[in-house]
Amino acid sequence: MSIAVSVGRPAAVPVVLPARFERVPVMAAVALLPWLGVLAVCHETPWVVLDLLEFAALLSLDAALRRRSAAARWAGGAVALLLAGDALADIACAGPGHAVLAALVMAFCVELPLAAVCLLLGRAAGGR
């Protein structure tokens, strides 16, 4: 079973996500746990708080998707907003050289694609 999302005008071709993508939020939340531990050990309190918010939003999106709730649209938007903000903050706070390169790679290869998937999942669930 696939998930179809209409993007743009009503006559636009819908974006189709495979049904297995519904597991992405919970898998991302679980993958975030070790990083939260590293940040906590390093006493990076602001980043721990931001990542805990992302963790909670990812689990909320997963719960809303499982219930087929219209609230999934809001949860997907919240996750996307938090991830995009995290990517922007990482890039803005990175030092010169390799640090900014690592932040850019993380943003464009992990955080922003995950934000897009969560946004599409929420939109598809809200349209059902």
Side-chain angles (χ1 to χ4, degrees), residues 78-123:
V79 171
L81 181 65
L82 285 168
L83 287 169
D86 189 6
L88 180 64
D90 287 344
I91 294 167
C93 294
H98 293 295
V100 75
L101 180 62
L104 285 167
V105 168
M106 188 71 175
F108 287 106
C109 294
V110 178
E111 293 166 334
L112 296 177
L114 178 60
V117 167
C118 290
L119 197 58
L120 289 174
L121 284 172
R123 186 171 180 177

Side-chain angles (χ1 to χ4, degrees), residues 20-121:
R20 66 180 178 268
F21 272 54
E22 285 192 9
R23 291 180 275 174
V24 167
V26 75
M27 291 186 324
V30 169
L32 194 56
L33 286 174
W35 181 241
L36 276 166
V38 169
L39 290 173
V41 167
C42 295
H43 303 288
E44 297 285 343
T45 305
W47 296 114
V48 170
V49 171
L50 177 60
D51 286 353
L52 279 173
L53 287 171
E54 290 172 6
F55 179 78
L58 285 163
L59 291 181
S60 296
L61 175 58
D62 179 62
L65 289 172
R66 288 180 190 274
R67 289 190 321 260
R68 304 280 187 238
S69 171
R73 178 172 283 200
W74 291 99
V79 171
L81 181 65
L82 285 168
L83 287 169
D86 189 6
L88 180 64
D90 287 344
I91 294 167
C93 294
H98 293 295
V100 75
L101 180 62
L104 285 167
V105 168
M106 188 71 175
F108 287 106
C109 294
V110 178
E111 293 166 334
L112 296 177
L114 178 60
V117 167
C118 290
L119 197 58
L120 289 174
L121 284 172

